[in-house]
Amino acid sequence: MKHLKSYLGIFMLSLGVLCMACSDEYMQDMNTDPTKTSTIDPNAQLTTAQLQTYGDTDLVSVYRSYIYGFTQQLMGCWNTTNYGGRHTLDDSEMGRIWTNLYAQSIKNLVDAIHHTSGNEQAININSILRIFKVYQMSILTDIYGDCPCIEAGLGYIDDINTPRYDYQQDIYAHFFKELTEATAALDPSKDRITGDLIYHGDIARWKKLGNALRLRFAMRISEVDPQKAQTEFEAAVNDPGGLFGEGADDALIHYMNIAFSFGHESYSDYRGNALSKILFGNDPANNPSYVCATLFDRLRTTNDPRTFILSRCYFDGLMTAVSPENRIDLTEEMLSKNARFNPCKPGAFSWEPWPQGYESDLMHELLLMHPDIPTYMQRETEPKLANNFLKSDNPGVVMTYAEVKLLLAEAKSKGWNIGEGCVSDLYKEGVRAAMDFLSDNYDCRRVTAEEFDNYIQINGVGNSPEQQKENINIQAWILHFTNPAECWANLRRSGYPALKSPAAYGFEQFLTGGLEIPLRLCYPVLESSYNKQNYQNALDRMGGLDDWHTNIWWDI
């Protein structure tokens, strides 16, 4: 917390200067007005870019509206079911990640990289900016496909106002080059980093993150370019900078406890985790985050100890709009009464169908004070996201030690040369780390050794390469619940878990955007006016249409 408070002044200065820099009048007067600065501290620009990742309400709303529906981890609330659960095309909603990241985060990063390039006194900040830009660009290309990358953000620098849409294959080649060079350039004896909300300037850990991202992106292209994938993966494993070796190496963006509010100030205040805030909901008693049956049933039928760590059943009738703390937790009572849990199926709103209820003893005392509250609980039997994941100071997940272990397990199953360790052991370490990740970062109860051993005995990695690929990536799907962009990307890449369309659950008549689960989001329509030729070139490569059922390059 003290680190984040110390960065607040830097962040606010960066935002203020960026807003001024967007003005034509400011650009004209910049050289003559002594009250306006002509330079920005690149550390401040790094802070701004990091905070925006999960702090921008408009940006992360796409995760709730579309991506959690596509991954079938949440379902039932209006946003998730209406957009992602029912495949509803909405240009303004789909384009938020594109318009917000390019206009702010990517713009800041490109500017800061430009002004620190070739400066030996700024080698570390330049390298970290480059690594973080690769990460941000991966979110964009993995969601939309071909997109501006090499020329993105160069409007003020090189007067490139209509950047070309790079082929995704070329974007990934650029990623590997940037990560390799930037990781190697990091030097703990050089400049000190003052604006880093992830590692607080720890150069050794940034080297590990650079290598970890190389593992992620190498595995991402493993189906479309297996030789390149193996080469890059093995190079990252053998890099002297090392890999994540424990949970303390997790790359997490640290946020503050900011009051739950949905006025203008909350949308522009990046200091709190906006994803957690919108999952809490702007009308929490009527619009909480329901856990999808696909996830809940997978957890419960496999006796996963995370079942009731991730999800709980609450009575929300007394919950205020500013805090989830006064929810009444009915989960243990339901378990003791062997009551039926009713998770929302893919494509369903929380009232479709109206769930079966049960007689609640816990509600009797409350009934004395609130006689209008029924004791026969119905919609409260629908599992919802646990309070632990609805807090403004929850971390923003970039990459974890658990993910690295699961990636290593899959690489080993492919026969890649990654050193010691068998597939089964790497898998177990990854699953154990994924469970510990919840207790280490979300104040969840810790899964005991006995619980873990019982679980892993009946949920092992399997024998054949395909069984291993399936089980490893189902575990990645569960792990990435708090990292939705990566969750959707890895699900599409691996094909696991194999999800059924909401059409299979009886909702085909509502799927206006097609029966199959979409494979990408469409470009913002305004691109057809602002960057017409490059936009059209990208569409031509997809057969002439901006179709969200068209595979992106690595998804074969």
Side-chain angles (χ1 to χ4, degrees):
M1 183 66 73
K2 67 179 182 180
H3 291 288
L4 189 52
K5 287 180 178 177
S6 69
Y7 298 144
L8 177 56
I10 298 175
F11 164 62
M12 297 305 290
L13 173 63
S14 173
L15 272 185
V17 172
L18 180 59
C19 290
M20 289 187 293
C22 292
S23 155
D24 289 338
E25 179 182 353
Y26 173 70
M27 292 302 295
Q28 294 168 2
D29 297 344
M30 167 169 89
N31 293 326
T32 59
D33 189 340
T35 67
K36 295 187 174 77
T37 181
S38 60
T39 60
I40 309 175
D41 182 352
N43 280 278
Q45 293 173 288
L46 174 65
T47 304
T48 303
Q50 289 179 343
L51 284 176
Q52 189 188 12
T53 310
Y54 286 92
D56 184 338
T57 306
D58 278 339
L59 187 157
V60 299
S61 69
V62 181
Y63 297 151
R64 178 184 63 175
S65 295
Y66 280 112
I67 293 180
Y68 275 120
F70 294 161
T71 60
Q72 296 183 7
Q73 293 175 317
L74 297 179
M75 195 68 62
C77 81
W78 188 88
N79 301 77
T80 307
T81 298
N82 178 68
Y83 293 111
R86 295 197 168 178
H87 305 172
T88 302
L89 287 154
D90 185 287
D91 176 64
S92 62
E93 194 69 22
M94 284 188 294
R96 294 182 191 276
I97 290 177
W98 179 289
T99 56
N100 287 32
L101 275 185
Y102 275 124
Q104 296 182 53
S105 183
I106 298 300
K107 182 177 177 181
N108 260 302
L109 293 169
V110 170
D111 181 76
I113 291 168
H114 172 74
H115 286 101
T116 56
S117 293
N119 182 354
E120 285 297 316
Q121 303 305 311
I123 191 68
N124 286 330
I125 186 61
N126 178 266
S127 299
I128 288 173
L129 289 162
R130 291 167 68 187
I131 292 171
F132 200 73
K133 178 180 174 252
V134 166
Y135 163 68
Q136 292 277 30
M137 280 303 314
S138 74
I139 295 174
L140 285 160
T141 189
D142 290 344
I143 288 175
Y144 298 100
D146 293 356
C147 63
C149 177
I150 309 301
E151 295 182 348
L154 294 177
Y156 291 133
I157 296 169
D158 290 335
D159 198 28
I160 299 176
N161 297 308
T162 54
R164 72 172 182 269
Y165 283 48
D166 295 301
Y167 289 85
Q168 191 174 58
Q169 182 175 6
D170 295 336
I171 294 173
Y172 265 77
H174 175 72
F175 287 172
F176 293 124
K177 177 178 179 293
E178 283 291 283
L179 290 173
T180 301
E181 293 177 359
T183 301
L186 286 165
D187 185 343
S189 69
K190 297 293 178 62
D191 55 301
R192 188 171 72 90
I193 307 302
T194 60
D196 174 24
L197 296 176
I198 298 177
Y199 293 131
H200 311 304
D202 188 325
I203 298 303
R205 284 182 172 163
W206 271 100
K207 281 182 174 286
K208 292 180 180 180
L209 175 57
N211 288 330
L213 287 171
R214 288 170 71 188
L215 299 185
R216 173 188 284 178
F217 300 142
M219 191 60 71
R220 186 88 84 240
I221 67 170
S222 59
E223 300 296 327
V224 67
D225 193 348
Q227 186 56 56
K228 175 69 171 175
Q230 181 176 355
T231 299
E232 292 291 345
F233 199 101
E234 292 175 355
V237 168
N238 294 312
D239 189 272
L243 298 172
F244 291 176
E246 57 181 345
D249 290 329
D250 291 347
L252 308 175
I253 303 166
H254 300 286
Y255 289 93
M256 293 176 67
N257 186 12
I258 303 297
F260 286 78
S261 64
F262 283 82
H264 174 75
E265 68 282 355
S266 179
Y267 280 75
S268 59
D269 188 344
Y270 295 170
R271 296 172 299 163
N273 187 321
L275 180 59
S276 294
K277 290 197 288 183
I278 66 169
L279 292 179
F280 170 71
N282 56 342
D283 184 10
N286 297 309
N287 189 23
S289 295
Y290 293 93
V291 175
C292 183
T294 308
L295 176 60
F296 183 84
D297 291 346
R298 166 71 64 172
L299 294 170
R300 196 156 193 226
T301 57
T302 58
N303 295 315
D304 194 314
R306 291 168 290 189
T307 306
F308 295 109
I309 291 175
L310 284 168
S311 64
R312 309 292 291 178
C313 282
Y314 296 107
F315 173 70
D316 287 333
L318 301 180
M319 188 166 61
T320 70
V322 295
S323 173
E325 295 304 325
N326 57 346
R327 309 173 95 179
I328 297 173
D329 192 334
L330 303 168
T331 313
E332 299 307 320
E333 179 188 71
M334 289 181 63
L335 289 168
S336 69
K337 286 175 172 285
N338 198 30
R340 178 179 174 179
F341 292 87
N342 297 287
C344 298
K345 297 186 184 301
F349 286 109
S350 62
W351 56 87
E352 295 176 324
W354 196 261
Q356 175 183 331
Y358 79 104
E359 288 287 342
S360 171
D361 297 332
L362 280 173
M363 300 304 295
H364 285 306
E365 281 189 36
L366 190 63
L367 186 62
L368 297 176
M369 297 179 288
H370 303 275
D372 56 322
I373 295 176
T375 57
Y376 190 76
M377 310 307 294
Q378 287 186 305
R379 281 182 66 185
E380 285 69 18
T381 63
E382 295 174 311
K384 302 168 186 173
L385 188 56
N387 282 350
N388 305 64
F389 303 94
L390 306 178
K391 299 176 181 178
S392 177
D393 58 353
N394 282 342
V397 182
V398 176
M399 194 160 189
T400 65
Y401 167 66
E403 180 184 349
V404 168
K405 283 295 182 180
L406 293 175
L407 288 169
L408 290 169
E410 186 170 357
K412 195 73 173 181
S413 75
K414 292 177 178 293
W416 294 356
N417 183 16
I418 61 166
E420 298 179 357
C422 66
V423 176
S424 179
D425 286 347
L426 291 167
Y427 169 80
K428 289 178 185 177
E429 290 167 3
V431 177
R432 177 74 253 190
M435 293 181 179
D436 291 345
F437 175 72
L438 300 177
S439 55
D440 290 346
N441 296 286
Y442 297 92
D443 198 27
C444 299
R445 75 166 184 86
R446 186 175 179 83
V447 173
T448 67
E450 181 181 5
E451 287 177 306
F452 175 76
D453 290 341
N454 290 338
Y455 174 75
I456 212 71
Q457 271 190 340
I458 57 175
N459 296 280
V461 72
N463 298 312
S464 71
E466 196 60 31
Q467 284 179 330
Q468 292 171 348
K469 180 182 178 183
E470 178 178 9
N471 290 321
I472 290 166
N473 285 290
I474 287 175
Q475 291 298 327
W477 174 65
I478 300 169
L479 165 68
H480 292 319
F481 181 86
T482 54
N483 190 358
E486 180 56 27
C487 187
W488 190 35
N490 192 67
L491 189 157
R492 286 173 289 155
R493 185 275 306 176
S494 68
Y496 293 113
L499 304 180
K500 292 187 294 184
S501 164
Y505 299 90
F507 296 101
E508 62 272 8
Q509 70 268 32
F510 301 113
L511 306 182
T512 57
L515 298 184
E516 298 305 316
I517 300 171
L519 301 172
R520 56 181 289 275
L521 292 184
C522 300
Y523 301 127
V525 169
L526 284 176
E527 282 290 291
S528 63
S529 298
Y530 295 154
N531 195 3
K532 182 176 182 179
Q533 188 58 58
N534 289 305
Y535 168 82
Q536 189 59 52
N537 291 343
L539 264 55
D540 290 343
R541 297 196 287 267
M542 293 190 291
L545 296 175
D546 191 4
D547 186 352
W548 67 352
H549 292 104
T550 299
N551 293 44
I552 59 179
W553 169 68
W554 49 252
D555 181 16
I556 62 172

